Amino acid sequence: MPPMSANTLPSVRASMARYEKPRLPDVPVKQHRIPVAGAPDVSVYVVNAQPGVIRPAILHAHGGGYVTGWAALKVPALQRLAKDLDCVVVSVDYRLAPETTYKGSIEDNYAGLKWMHAHARELGIDPHRIAIMGESAGGGHAALLAIAARDRGEVPVVFQALVYPMLDDRTGSSRTVPPHVGQIGWTAQSNRFGWQSFLGQQPGGPNVPAAAVPARTVDLSGLPPAFIGVGSIDLFVDEDIEYARRLIDAGVATELLVVPGAFHGFDSVADSSLAIQFNAAKRNALRRAFDTTGQAPTRR
């Protein structure tokens, strides 16, 4: 990936198409357009819906540094996850920065969460077993969505799975990282561009709004239990460890997995033994949250 900037962003976005993989033929996917208060409708991809069965569900936010990526790219991986966990997944194609700052994309994801909760019966979702999940910037969005759901009190969330989440605008701007960290997959320079685009202002300063940055949220109490997984040479390793520590201190049941020698996005590059173990740990954390191990789906 070339250095991220306003000049390279169009080509980086276009190059993401090469990562799209064929969808599984036996796991249904349906695209919907749903309303967002005061904004254009947003697309969501509903994976593995089955009306008449009550199953757990995941609200998913894709990665891409807040500035690139789209929901359809992750559909094949989400099909495999939904099949393995026997659940429904709803992935939101939220608006990207810099065209839309954090205020817009947070509302897109929240609209997706409210929509899947309101339409639980027709999608075959148990409204009391909805988790939130995302990778990288999607992990940042998942963390922000968990905070928004807690504060607004409209949709219960049972779990948040944060996969090498992008949580702190100060990383690589006002806070330096060791030289061996953040050299592969996502760099400090790219991080500054991503956060500046998302915030609509320079990252790292004292006036950055806490509403846009999970790590700047003062009170983490009352959030749903969490899984946080990150590699030891990922740019986000320190901020993710610190966020896990703060969740634990706030009384939130939290599992932290730091994978030795793993870089940003390592689990999507190849089926290495570390990637297999990492993805198994994520799935097992979701299984425990859903408490579905050994249980058959409940029919209405």
Side-chain angles (χ1 to χ4, degrees):
M1 182 180 293
M4 295 290 288
S5 69
N7 292 330
T8 64
L9 183 58
S11 62
V12 170
R13 285 177 173 174
S15 71
M16 296 290 288
R18 70 177 184 265
Y19 298 112
E20 192 160 4
K21 297 179 180 179
R23 295 182 181 180
L24 303 184
D26 58 338
V27 180
V29 178
K30 189 172 182 179
Q31 185 178 2
H32 297 264
R33 295 286 295 178
I34 67 169
V36 181
D41 292 353
V42 66
S43 287
V44 298
Y45 291 84
V46 179
V47 180
N48 205 31
Q50 187 178 347
V53 177
I54 304 175
R55 296 181 298 167
I58 298 168
L59 187 287
H60 173 261
H62 68 81
Y66 297 125
V67 295
T68 189
W70 54 90
L73 282 176
K74 293 294 293 186
V75 163
L78 296 176
Q79 286 179 297
R80 292 190 293 272
L81 180 68
K83 186 176 182 179
D84 188 44
L85 295 178
D86 192 21
C87 72
V88 182
V89 181
V90 177
S91 189
V92 183
D93 205 18
Y94 59 84
R95 286 170 288 170
L96 299 175
E99 293 87 349
T100 300
T101 61
Y102 69 95
K103 293 180 181 179
S105 50
I106 288 174
E107 292 308 317
D108 289 349
N109 285 312
Y110 190 76
L113 180 65
K114 284 194 68 176
W115 179 84
M116 68 186 292
H117 185 260
H119 293 79
R121 177 175 291 274
E122 64 194 74
L123 299 175
I125 290 173
D126 181 347
H128 303 291
R129 289 191 294 166
I130 295 176
I132 295 171
M133 184 182 78
E135 309 84 25
S136 191
H141 266 305
L144 287 167
L145 190 54
I147 294 166
R150 177 200 64 179
D151 293 347
R152 301 183 193 187
E154 297 177 305
V155 180
V157 174
V158 298
F159 194 69
Q160 51 181 325
L162 311 180
V163 181
Y164 34 81
M166 186 174 175
L167 300 173
D168 197 335
D169 66 290
R170 292 163 291 197
T171 298
S173 53
S174 58
R175 183 180 300 150
T176 58
V177 297
H180 66 280
V181 167
Q183 297 299 314
I184 304 173
W186 190 252
T187 66
Q189 186 276 333
S190 294
N191 205 46
R192 290 191 295 272
F193 175 76
W195 276 111
Q196 179 177 345
S197 301
F198 187 62
L199 296 169
Q201 66 182 78
Q202 288 291 332
N207 297 321
V208 168
V213 185
R216 290 181 182 260
T217 301
V218 175
D219 181 11
L220 300 182
S221 62
L223 290 174
F227 167 88
I228 298 178
V230 65
S232 67
I233 60 172
D234 191 311
L235 181 72
F236 302 145
V237 62
D238 284 347
E239 66 186 59
D240 289 356
I241 292 172
E242 174 63 12
Y243 196 71
R245 183 196 65 76
R246 290 186 58 218
L247 285 170
I248 292 167
D249 286 353
V252 177
T254 302
E255 177 182 357
L256 172 65
L257 175 58
V258 180
V259 182
F263 51 86
H264 191 69
F266 75 100
D267 59 319
S268 62
V269 174
D271 289 329
S272 65
S273 60
L274 284 180
I276 292 170
Q277 294 169 21
F278 181 78
N279 286 320
K282 176 183 68 180
R283 290 194 301 271
N284 288 336
L286 286 161
R287 282 195 185 96
R288 290 192 298 271
F290 293 149
D291 193 26
T292 58
T293 304
Q295 296 180 17
T298 302
R299 293 198 173 270
R300 298 182 190 274

